Amino acid sequence: MSEHYLLNYVDCTEYKLPLDLQNIFGRKRETFLEIGFGSGEFILQKAIENPNADYLGVELSMISAKKLLKSISRNHVGNVRALLVDASFALRNILPKDSMSGVYMNFPCPWPKKRHSERRLNTVSFIEKIAKVLKKGGFFQLYSDSEEFVHEMFGEVGKTNCFDDPVLEVNPTVGVGTRYEKKWLDMSKEIFRMKCVRIKCEINGEEDVVRVSNLWIDDIDEKSLQKVDGKSFSKNEIFVKFMGLYRNMDRNTFLIETLTVDRDFSQRFYVNLSRRGNRWLIKLDSQARPFRTKAVKFALRVLSEKIAKKDPGGDQNH
């Protein structure tokens, strides 16, 4: 992406978490969140109509993020920031508690097939994450063309005890102005809107982000290192798999392709193993930009334990 477009992009791996919104926007204003901004029509229009408020958009698609960032630049809009990250992870770890005045979800995929049920966002767990970032009195608003999805969301909201009674409308007079909405209306499909307001409610959730430090070992066992390739390890809700092993010609540096999963959040990156004098350093590769999560920390620890030459006289890790 062009450096000019990146002015409105937030690389969350470069910031202390949770984000300091005043630092991100350069001012302190009411902040609203859109989960899954797609092509960005809705969040851009909201920002233009409300210049004294700030808007954050969370999206997984790089293509969608580029479209929004280009539109922001073309329209000279300064009160929108885009985050390219999983929404569930963002709600749990990146966005501050009690920070949002409103959260929007416009036409999320309902994932109707049973085999995709784990991808659905109309769950108590996900709704509680939304409640966590909302201020008391802040609203959650959902638009969808799927009646089943909205009714399920309606029921799950009631189970959280975090919101007042949701209001459900069919074909609301005020739409969201996105191309998806126009598409559904052109097909004479019904549109459903659900809106609710957060009431006083304590949301306690364990965060995944931790401090991850480099590790040192005195020497490596190359046979053990070879055996690690392709192996997986798990602990509680953490999963690690070493996907590939690459080395330089002098065998003083290795790269280990690594997959980690923290609950529902996965990352792929490289771990760098290099000789430094008489010892070996294990660290995240300089090109790696994963969030420093419990699974990432676990991956470094497991690797150090599995490949260290056994020394009966003491602990290899310092």
Side-chain angles (χ1 to χ4, degrees):
M1 282 186 281
S2 161
E3 288 187 10
H4 184 59
Y5 296 151
L6 290 176
L7 292 173
N8 297 91
Y9 170 67
V10 179
D11 183 350
C12 300
T13 63
E14 295 184 348
Y15 291 86
K16 181 181 178 181
L17 301 180
L19 291 176
D20 180 340
L21 298 182
Q22 186 171 348
N23 180 41
I24 295 299
F25 286 99
R27 63 181 190 173
K28 190 173 183 179
R29 293 287 192 276
E30 273 198 315
T31 307
F32 298 85
L33 171 70
E34 183 179 11
I35 297 172
F37 54 74
S39 297
E41 304 105 322
F42 176 80
I43 194 170
L44 185 68
Q45 190 58 39
K46 280 290 184 183
I48 292 172
E49 292 173 354
N50 302 285
N52 291 321
D54 291 327
Y55 291 84
L56 272 175
V58 172
E59 177 60 65
L60 268 179
S61 166
M62 174 67 79
I63 294 174
S64 294
K66 285 182 177 180
K67 286 181 180 178
L68 173 61
L69 292 169
K70 287 180 180 179
S71 296
I72 290 171
S73 176
R74 187 166 54 248
N75 289 277
H76 307 289
V77 178
N79 57 333
V80 180
R81 298 291 183 271
L83 281 63
L84 192 63
V85 66
D86 174 78
S88 184
F89 184 83
L91 292 168
R92 193 165 61 232
N93 298 283
I94 295 174
L95 303 177
K97 185 178 179 181
D98 304 319
S99 61
M100 298 293 154
S101 296
V103 174
Y104 300 96
M105 277 177 57
N106 297 316
F107 301 100
C109 181
W111 298 108
K113 294 181 180 179
K114 188 174 181 180
R115 68 175 182 270
H116 295 148
S117 60
E118 73 281 356
R119 301 183 187 180
R120 295 173 191 161
L121 301 181
N122 55 350
T123 64
V124 167
S125 174
F126 191 77
I127 296 165
E128 286 182 341
K129 293 182 183 76
I130 292 174
K132 174 175 169 282
V133 303
L134 276 171
K135 297 177 179 178
K136 181 184 177 183
F139 65 83
F140 168 46
Q141 178 175 284
L142 167 71
Y143 272 82
S144 177
D145 65 305
S146 170
E147 183 175 8
E148 180 182 0
F149 182 88
V150 173
H151 278 286
E152 287 179 357
M153 180 73 85
F154 189 96
E156 298 300 282
V157 165
K159 295 177 184 178
T160 67
N161 297 318
C162 297
F163 295 90
D164 65 359
D165 293 334
V167 175
L168 181 60
E169 295 179 74
V170 181
N171 297 325
T173 55
V174 179
V176 296
T178 67
R179 60 191 177 94
Y180 284 107
E181 182 183 34
K182 184 178 185 304
K183 176 183 176 181
W184 306 145
L185 292 175
D186 288 345
M187 296 168 62
S188 298
K189 294 185 72 172
E190 289 186 319
I191 302 295
F192 302 88
R193 181 175 76 170
M194 188 207 74
K195 189 172 184 178
C196 52
V197 174
R198 186 191 163 181
I199 57 178
K200 187 175 181 180
C201 176
E202 281 300 318
I203 303 296
N204 297 310
E206 187 179 2
E207 296 178 351
D208 302 307
V209 177
V210 295
R211 181 178 178 181
V212 177
S213 301
N214 299 337
L215 298 177
W216 290 90
I217 54 178
D218 291 332
D219 202 359
I220 66 169
D221 182 333
E222 283 205 35
K223 288 185 178 179
S224 296
L225 179 58
Q226 295 287 344
K227 290 179 181 178
V228 162
D229 187 13
K231 291 290 182 64
S232 58
F233 306 87
S234 60
K235 176 184 177 183
N236 299 327
E237 294 182 291
I238 290 171
F239 174 83
V240 171
K241 184 171 184 178
F242 298 111
M243 309 285 290
L245 176 65
Y246 312 92
R247 62 173 178 263
N248 67 355
M249 295 298 291
D250 61 11
R251 306 179 77 87
N252 285 327
T253 302
F254 296 84
L255 286 178
I256 301 97
E257 186 178 359
T258 306
L259 167 71
T260 62
V261 181
D262 295 85
R263 291 185 267 192
D264 53 359
F265 180 66
S266 62
Q267 303 185 91
R268 292 183 74 155
F269 53 91
Y270 289 94
V271 174
N272 183 293
L273 172 65
S274 57
R275 185 191 295 275
R276 301 292 178 90
N278 295 324
R279 304 180 71 204
W280 288 81
L281 174 64
I282 302 173
K283 66 173 187 174
L284 297 175
D285 185 65
S286 59
Q287 300 301 311
R289 303 294 290 275
F291 290 100
R292 273 54 171 174
T293 65
K294 293 177 182 177
V296 172
K297 184 175 184 177
F298 180 62
L300 297 187
R301 175 61 62 181
V302 167
L303 185 63
S304 71
E305 292 173 353
K306 296 298 180 182
I307 69 173
K309 271 192 176 178
K310 303 306 178 187
D311 179 7
D315 186 2
Q316 290 284 339
N317 297 308
H318 302 279

